[in-house]
Amino acid sequence: MYSVKEFEQLFGQDVIDLKELRRQAFNGVPDVFSFRALSWKMLLGYLPTRRSQWNATLTKKRALYKQFIVELVLPPGHVTNGDEAGDMGLQDHPLSEGPESAWNTFFTDNEFLLQIDKDVRRLCPDISFFQQPTDYPCDIVVHSKGEQGRRLHERVVPSVLSSANVERKGLGVTKINLITKRSAENYAAMEEGQEAHWEVVQRILFIYAKLNPGQGYVQGMNEIVGPIYYVMASDPDLTQRQYAEADCFFCFTALMSEIRDFFIKTLDDSEGGIKCMMTRLANMLKAKDITIYEQLKRQELHPQYYSFRWINLLLSQEFPLPDVLRIWDTIFSDERRFDFLMKICCAMILIQREIILENDFASNVKLLQNYPPIDINVVLNHALTLT
């Protein structure tokens, strides 16, 4: 890992050397000051390289996100700043079933909000962060003044929650199965005037789904947005932390633009699709260790049994959150973004070589679906050798 001093020098420049940032962040960003939040914002293309443009960029983006909340989250005809209900609220009625009815859209949104609510209430259960209240709740949402629906979780009917499913967009009826090592406990919502971090993440995912109707929300996106939000909402610089929601939204959107093919079924066979990525991993394993490749092939332990989740969720569920952040430093720094992800996945298999060769099918499935605890630096260093 590079030293704090080197990152201080890097971010002290009037124009940040993006190539140098990639080189330094590839080996891990120091977990101090705002280095990781700044690095990810730049590596994901949210911030320009010229420091003098940062304030204008952030002010514009954060204002735009606030507009998204007003237009996409608040109920139709909402009252803001003491004003009377807007024209839309006066002309539209909650019982209207017309296709142009904002209320009709409001109720239809619950189809995907059900799954979002279910997923974010179990986000990163190994830490308490997402259950805790944010110091910067969204005022126009949490101070509802008795108006129902401003807080997204209030729209969800718990009795319906257990039967909710989200399917990957595309032809056929193929449900995305990302069953993971998650706690069955659901996080509770906060009282009026407060909101937990998971509620903020819920709003981010809801707005993303509304703005991307062709893709919508797909189960697993919560595991992509979670680490990004954690980094932004843990920024030691409080002047930046208070805008964690907006900053996370745009960083998440930028990352999703690169991995969206993973979540769209009709693009599975495309160059950036999940099937193609799993094939790349299998071919890499074959080239590096034909013996272990043949063992998995003989046992018919196909890559989709384990690497689908590894690749699709950028390893966010295979390791503790601090290790995920370290992995993502490297992944985001890689100009050929997901080449090194393939090497990490391959290294994970090769590290378990002797055990895999001894195990039967059932034991190997269990091993690869529940990767054993390991020093993440061992995995990353092994991946570096796979040139």
Side-chain angles (χ1 to χ4, degrees):
M1 180 181 288
Y2 279 81
S3 69
V4 171
K5 183 177 180 180
E6 287 171 300
F7 272 83
E8 285 179 334
Q9 293 175 342
L10 179 66
F11 284 116
Q13 302 297 316
D14 293 332
V15 178
I16 312 302
D17 186 335
L18 193 57
K19 184 176 180 180
E20 179 63 17
L21 174 61
R22 287 196 181 102
R23 189 173 70 86
Q24 292 193 21
F26 187 88
N27 293 292
V29 179
D31 194 20
V32 294
F33 303 123
S34 298
F35 290 148
R36 178 167 280 126
L38 272 176
S39 296
W40 285 18
K41 287 174 185 177
M42 296 201 67
L43 294 170
L44 291 171
Y46 178 47
L47 279 181
T49 56
R50 191 173 296 277
R51 287 177 58 94
S52 60
Q53 297 175 346
W54 286 4
N55 284 339
T57 298
L58 292 173
T59 299
K60 180 180 178 180
K61 291 289 190 179
R62 290 163 177 173
L64 177 59
Y65 185 76
K66 186 173 183 180
Q67 184 180 340
F68 289 157
I69 294 177
V70 172
E71 295 179 356
L72 302 175
V73 175
L74 300 189
H78 59 270
V79 179
T80 56
N81 300 323
D83 295 335
E84 295 301 319
D87 292 340
M88 181 173 61
L90 295 173
Q91 296 171 5
D92 197 7
H93 190 278
L95 299 181
S96 172
E97 297 182 356
E100 301 301 320
S101 168
W103 280 105
N104 186 51
T105 302
F106 177 81
F107 293 124
T108 303
D109 290 342
N110 265 24
E111 294 177 11
F112 62 85
L113 181 55
L114 284 168
Q115 189 67 51
I116 294 176
D117 188 86
K118 181 179 180 181
D119 292 345
V120 296
R121 285 178 185 264
R122 301 179 181 183
L123 193 57
C124 296
D126 50 324
I127 62 173
S128 63
F129 174 80
F130 288 96
Q131 304 176 54
Q132 297 174 356
T134 172
D135 292 330
Y136 304 100
C138 181
D139 288 339
I140 58 176
V141 170
V142 298
H143 297 294
S144 61
K145 300 178 182 178
E147 182 182 7
Q148 290 295 311
R150 289 195 178 201
R151 305 182 74 164
L152 293 174
H153 66 82
E154 294 177 344
R155 305 183 196 177
V156 177
V157 183
S159 61
V160 181
L161 200 57
S162 60
S163 63
N165 283 308
V166 168
E167 297 172 0
R168 300 172 67 212
K169 295 291 184 179
L171 301 175
V173 188
T174 304
K175 294 175 182 175
I176 183 169
N177 186 2
L178 294 172
I179 302 304
T180 55
K181 302 166 283 186
R182 289 304 184 209
S183 166
E185 180 183 356
N186 288 329
Y187 301 157
M190 295 285 168
E191 298 294 330
E192 174 83 5
Q194 288 188 313
E195 61 182 348
H197 288 295
W198 71 261
E199 296 180 69
V200 181
V201 174
Q202 180 179 49
R203 190 163 51 244
I204 293 170
L205 290 170
F206 179 81
I207 291 174
Y208 178 83
K210 291 282 288 181
L211 292 174
N212 296 272
Q215 182 183 38
Y217 173 77
V218 179
Q219 190 177 8
M221 289 181 181
N222 58 307
E223 306 294 348
I224 298 296
V225 74
I228 300 175
Y229 177 76
Y230 176 83
V231 167
M232 302 305 161
S234 303
D235 192 331
D237 185 345
L238 301 186
T239 63
Q240 300 302 316
R241 188 194 296 184
Q242 64 181 308
Y243 298 107
E245 181 177 352
D247 294 348
C248 172
F249 171 81
F250 288 107
C251 288
F252 170 69
T253 299
L255 179 57
M256 284 304 302
S257 71
E258 299 182 12
I259 64 174
R260 64 184 295 274
D261 291 4
F262 296 176
F263 291 88
I264 301 178
K265 177 176 165 48
T266 52
L267 298 177
D268 280 355
D269 295 310
S270 67
E271 185 176 351
I274 192 67
K275 285 185 179 178
C276 180
M277 298 294 280
M278 289 190 293
T279 299
R280 283 177 57 188
L281 174 58
N283 290 339
M284 181 181 295
L285 182 63
K286 183 178 182 179
K288 300 301 178 182
D289 194 324
I290 188 65
T291 303
I292 198 168
Y293 171 84
E294 292 293 347
Q295 166 80 337
L296 297 178
K297 184 178 180 180
R298 185 166 50 252
Q299 292 181 346
E300 296 186 356
L301 207 170
H302 305 298
Q304 57 263 38
Y305 290 164
Y306 57 91
S307 66
F308 179 92
R309 189 179 71 195
W310 291 4
I311 299 168
N312 205 68
L313 303 183
L314 306 182
L315 296 169
S316 62
Q317 291 193 325
E318 313 315 314
F319 301 99
L321 183 60
D323 290 350
V324 173
L325 304 186
R326 172 62 191 89
I327 292 169
W328 285 17
D329 287 343
T330 297
I331 291 176
F332 293 167
S333 303
D334 185 7
E335 282 194 83
R336 297 175 59 85
R337 187 74 86 211
F338 303 112
D339 279 8
F340 202 78
L341 173 62
M342 295 296 99
K343 293 180 181 179
I344 297 174
C345 292
C346 188
M348 289 168 63
I349 300 172
L350 295 176
I351 288 171
Q352 305 297 331
R353 183 180 194 276
E354 300 307 320
I355 298 176
I356 290 174
L357 292 178
E358 293 178 2
N359 277 350
D360 59 13
F361 170 83
S363 298
N364 278 333
V365 169
K366 184 177 180 181
L367 172 71
L368 296 176
Q369 289 187 348
N370 299 274
Y371 201 80
I374 189 173
D375 182 346
I376 195 59
N377 291 307
V378 171
V379 179
L380 293 171
N381 288 336
H382 196 123
L384 283 170
T385 68
L386 303 179
T387 54

